[in-house]
Amino acid sequence: MNGETPRDRWWLVAASGIAVFMTQLDATVVNVALPTIQERMGIGPSLAQWVVLAYTLPLIALTVPSGRWLDGVGTRTALVLSVSGFGAASALVGLAPGIAWLVAARAAQGAFGAVLLALISLLATIAVREQARGRAMSLVLLLGSLGGMSGPVLGGLLIETLGWPWIFYLNVPASVLVIATGMTQLPPGGRPRLPDRVWAVEAGLLGAASVALLLALSLAGGSGAGWVALAAVAVPFVLAWLRLPGSRPVVDLLRSPGVAAPHLALLAEMAAVMAVQFLIPFHLQRVAAVPPAQIGLTMLAFPVAMLLTGPVGGALADRWKPARVAWLGTIVVTAGLALIIPLGSDWGPADLAWRLAVAGAGAGLFAGPDQAMAMAGTPRRLLGTTAATTSLARQLGAALGPALATGVWAFSGYDLQGMRLAVALATALAGASVLALTWPARRPLIRTTQ
């Protein structure tokens, strides 16, 4: 990997932010396009769901193997391969004549996106000096969060004006911009090193575990909590993966002092936030009878608050210790979610917007410093692995939160009290992120046997 940089390369940080914006945007923008795609291609809802799953599964299954691959590959080579592949796959999605082509192209998008998500935190780490790392991480992760949250709004506008393929075509010029920036900001790397057979086995095992986990969460939310038992199918695949040599760097990493805590805090915080963001639109639509446009504006309170506090969190992390700022962020997130627990039947957009803004402000303070904590506690030879494992924690939290919220809400018959219980569970998860960062770094959160 590259050595310490003598200067801060903020253009490279900005390019990393654009890259993560694209990958997170494509994870959510397709949701608003599904009805149109389903109608144009003449397919049913069950088949249309694979347009989403085909992208999500590679993101989860390939992130950790991609991180280990990055530890042995030049960053410039990895950036060009991953971004060009993502851009090409995006164009193929827009050109898809049928559902089989579309699903295959989305899977390719997810595969290259997994490499890209593992790479961006690594790029932000090596692009700047340690004294500026908090600001760099906050900028990159802020753009990623904005990409995911602006997906439905941007997707709706593009579908109405240019057509659904353009939500993917726009990735092509963005990819060209990122590649051009990387070519000028990064030194030449070595020849691309293709993944070996062990890498393929590792990806297959983690992919099978991901399928079992995602199906369990999806079916539990729609068909009853009993489907959670399907997650047990993932256990033998994970155990088999742990017997592979490739799992050792990940296990060693999570045993390092100060590394497990930011991972667990990220997983818990992401699940908590996504659970509440999943529930609130249903409350506004079903209970408060708010029109869709106003619901969208209400939900913007969270990312706007993140936008305002994200740079502040990065600057404070560079001046103080990142752990202090991340811990403060988790407290503010927990307080913001706790304020939503009463969830009155007469609550409208104004009542929820300011509470979402409080939680969003905490998320902005938390994101960059938490990532900086994880990278700072990592041996340099494992920076790529840490970038991958934090990305995996983020993706798992995003999938776990809505599933848990739906399960609790469904248990009560989808009434208002069930919503309150689900928000209380989300608040408890946010509180768990506070505890994770409070745990002394010298005491490992994850114990493994020798």
Side-chain angles (χ1 to χ4, degrees):
M1 308 306 295
N2 296 325
E4 288 290 339
T5 56
R7 58 188 176 86
D8 296 333
R9 294 173 288 180
W10 288 102
W11 283 110
L12 184 57
V13 175
S16 302
I18 294 172
V20 72
F21 182 92
M22 286 193 301
T23 55
Q24 295 299 331
L25 178 74
D26 275 36
T28 59
V29 71
V30 73
N31 292 332
V32 74
L34 279 182
T36 302
I37 293 173
Q38 180 181 339
E39 180 182 352
R40 299 284 174 84
M41 295 191 172
I43 59 176
S46 59
L47 193 54
Q49 183 182 7
W50 280 97
V51 178
V52 177
L53 290 178
Y55 184 81
T56 306
L57 286 173
L59 280 183
I60 295 178
L62 299 180
T63 297
V64 170
S66 296
R68 288 201 309 101
W69 178 72
L70 289 173
D71 285 331
V73 178
T75 49
R76 178 166 159 176
T77 300
L79 179 67
V80 172
L81 284 176
S82 58
V83 177
S84 59
F86 187 85
S90 299
L92 290 174
V93 172
L95 293 170
I99 187 62
W101 178 318
L102 178 58
V103 169
R106 283 285 285 173
Q109 256 196 318
F112 286 108
V115 181
L116 198 51
L117 285 175
L119 177 63
I120 52 170
S121 295
L122 173 60
L123 288 177
T125 299
I126 67 173
V128 298
R129 296 164 297 164
E130 185 176 356
Q131 296 86 342
R133 193 171 291 168
R135 283 167 285 167
M137 292 295 181
S138 293
L139 175 61
V140 170
L141 295 175
L142 176 62
L143 287 172
S145 298
L146 290 177
M149 293 174 188
S150 63
V153 177
L154 182 59
L157 291 174
L158 289 173
I159 291 170
E160 289 184 7
T161 55
L162 299 175
W164 73 264
W166 281 93
I167 65 180
F168 301 103
Y169 289 154
L170 288 182
N171 287 334
V172 176
S175 297
V176 172
L177 177 61
V178 172
I179 291 172
T181 304
M183 294 290 286
T184 59
Q185 296 289 310
L186 290 169
R191 288 186 175 184
R193 179 174 60 85
L194 294 177
D196 55 22
R197 184 178 301 176
V198 175
W199 187 94
V201 172
E202 182 179 11
L205 290 173
L206 291 176
S210 302
V211 169
L213 180 60
L214 287 179
L215 283 178
L217 295 177
S218 177
L219 292 172
S223 304
W227 282 101
V228 171
L230 183 61
V233 176
V235 174
F237 294 109
V238 173
L239 292 177
W241 172 73
L242 287 172
R243 294 178 65 88
L244 295 177
S247 69
R248 180 51 52 188
V250 177
V251 174
D252 290 343
L253 174 69
L254 294 178
R255 295 177 62 199
S256 300
V259 175
H263 279 77
L264 293 176
L266 177 59
L267 175 64
E269 191 263 357
M270 194 71 182
V273 166
M274 295 305 293
V276 172
Q277 291 199 355
F278 171 80
L279 289 168
I280 285 180
F282 285 102
H283 171 82
L284 291 173
Q285 182 184 44
R286 296 184 178 185
V287 180
V290 174
Q294 200 169 353
I295 293 176
L297 290 174
T298 303
M299 300 305 294
L300 281 177
F302 187 96
V304 168
M306 277 194 71
L307 180 65
L308 296 175
T309 60
V312 176
L316 290 176
D318 290 335
R319 185 170 182 177
W320 301 336
K321 290 184 178 180
R324 294 180 180 176
V325 184
W327 181 72
L328 174 62
T330 59
I331 291 177
V332 177
V333 169
T334 305
L337 299 185
L339 290 170
I340 302 175
I341 292 176
L343 200 61
S345 58
D346 58 341
W347 283 18
D351 300 292
L352 287 165
W354 73 266
R355 291 172 168 87
L356 283 172
V358 173
L365 292 173
F366 167 80
D370 183 78
Q371 185 73 35
M373 280 179 64
M375 301 302 279
T378 301
R380 191 162 185 83
R381 62 183 177 84
L382 294 177
L383 284 176
T385 299
T386 300
T389 52
T390 51
S391 176
L392 178 61
R394 194 174 293 108
Q395 299 297 332
L396 288 175
L400 182 63
L404 289 175
T406 302
V408 173
W409 187 25
F411 184 75
S412 67
Y414 296 103
D415 61 11
L416 185 57
Q417 183 59 28
M419 254 188 210
R420 295 188 185 109
L421 290 174
V423 175
L425 173 62
T427 304
L429 285 172
S433 68
V434 177
L435 294 177
L437 294 182
T438 306
W439 197 270
R442 65 181 178 274
R443 297 172 63 181
L445 284 170
I446 296 180
R447 300 182 184 275
T448 57
T449 57
Q450 295 292 341

